[in-house]
Amino acid sequence: MEEVLKDWKKLSLTTTEDVKLNLKKSKHLTSREYVLAAKFMTRRALNIEAVGRTFKPLWRARKDFKIREAGDHILLFVFELETDAERVLATEPWSFDKHVVIFQRYDFSILAKQLRFTKLTFWVQLHSLPMSMLDPEVAVEIGETIGTVIPSEYAKEMVEGDFLRVRVEIDVSKPLC
């Protein structure tokens, strides 16, 4: 052990190797990119080009987006406009090749592989209710028994003809009641 310590003390860095690195100027921390991390709930290998060809016409982003692979069936979608990223989240749920895709905002604060993809937002329709109960407050009350209700700006979109609909965030890591 002493020999190893002696050898270790003989080592030193050259002036070229002893360069200080300032990561605060990193592009990821200063750019105006809006990133969504997406977990594809499939065991099949992902074809990034096919994913891009599928989602590009569906999302109709005003500016283009890039796709980066993050491993373990996680892709990062990098948008130039915040409104494009928000529209993708607002129109959940999404699927690819008949498998659900769970999205969440990503800010590079942790590794993408460490993200937990457990929340998915659905529009839930409530049918066969008496006409007197076709009210947005009833939709919210019933929705809260399913998961976390996502408030809607327009109460009128919760009442559709003879049924109610409510946007609910569900923890998909737990079984449904």
Side-chain angles (χ1 to χ4, degrees):
M1 181 69 167
E2 290 180 22
E3 289 179 29
V4 173
L5 290 174
K6 283 182 185 177
D7 289 341
W8 182 259
K9 289 180 182 179
K10 293 178 190 175
L11 296 175
S12 64
L13 296 175
T14 66
T15 54
T16 307
E17 297 169 331
D18 194 23
V19 174
K20 302 290 185 233
L21 182 63
N22 184 359
L23 294 177
K24 298 223 184 266
K25 296 179 184 176
S26 173
K27 178 185 176 219
H28 291 294
L29 299 176
T30 59
S31 71
R32 300 301 304 166
E33 294 178 333
Y34 304 93
V35 182
L36 296 180
K39 174 79 171 183
F40 288 72
M41 305 307 279
T42 180
R43 291 195 174 124
R44 296 183 196 167
L46 290 176
N47 180 335
I48 297 175
E49 292 172 9
V51 170
R53 281 193 311 267
T54 300
F55 286 134
K56 189 172 188 167
L58 295 173
W59 291 345
R60 293 183 295 246
R62 290 193 341 212
K63 294 239 179 169
D64 206 17
F65 61 87
K66 295 177 231 148
I67 304 173
R68 297 181 187 153
E69 194 168 5
D72 194 27
H73 291 88
I74 299 172
L75 297 181
L76 302 178
F77 292 87
V78 183
F79 294 89
E80 293 179 33
L81 293 176
E82 185 177 17
T83 55
D84 288 339
E86 291 300 321
R87 188 170 45 251
V88 169
L89 291 175
T91 52
E92 278 186 305
W94 291 101
S95 65
F96 177 76
D97 197 24
K98 299 181 183 176
H99 296 279
V100 72
V101 182
I102 302 176
F103 285 89
Q104 64 178 280
R105 289 174 189 83
Y106 182 59
D107 63 1
F108 295 101
S109 61
I110 61 172
L111 292 174
K113 290 179 184 179
Q114 294 175 335
L115 291 172
R116 295 198 61 232
F117 293 88
T118 58
K119 306 281 186 186
L120 191 56
T121 305
F122 290 96
W123 277 105
V124 177
Q125 291 185 359
L126 308 166
H127 291 268
S128 300
L129 294 171
M131 291 299 277
S132 62
M133 298 192 81
L134 294 179
D135 182 75
E137 291 177 12
V138 172
V140 170
E141 193 173 331
I142 295 172
E144 287 173 344
T145 66
I146 301 168
T148 305
V149 173
I150 306 299
S152 175
E153 292 179 24
Y154 307 103
K156 64 182 180 184
E157 75 179 3
M158 297 175 89
V159 180
E160 290 285 329
D162 63 344
F163 66 92
L164 295 175
R165 62 187 211 139
V166 63
R167 196 156 165 78
V168 180
E169 184 180 72
I170 298 171
D171 186 344
V172 293
S173 67
K174 298 177 182 173
L176 288 174
C177 295

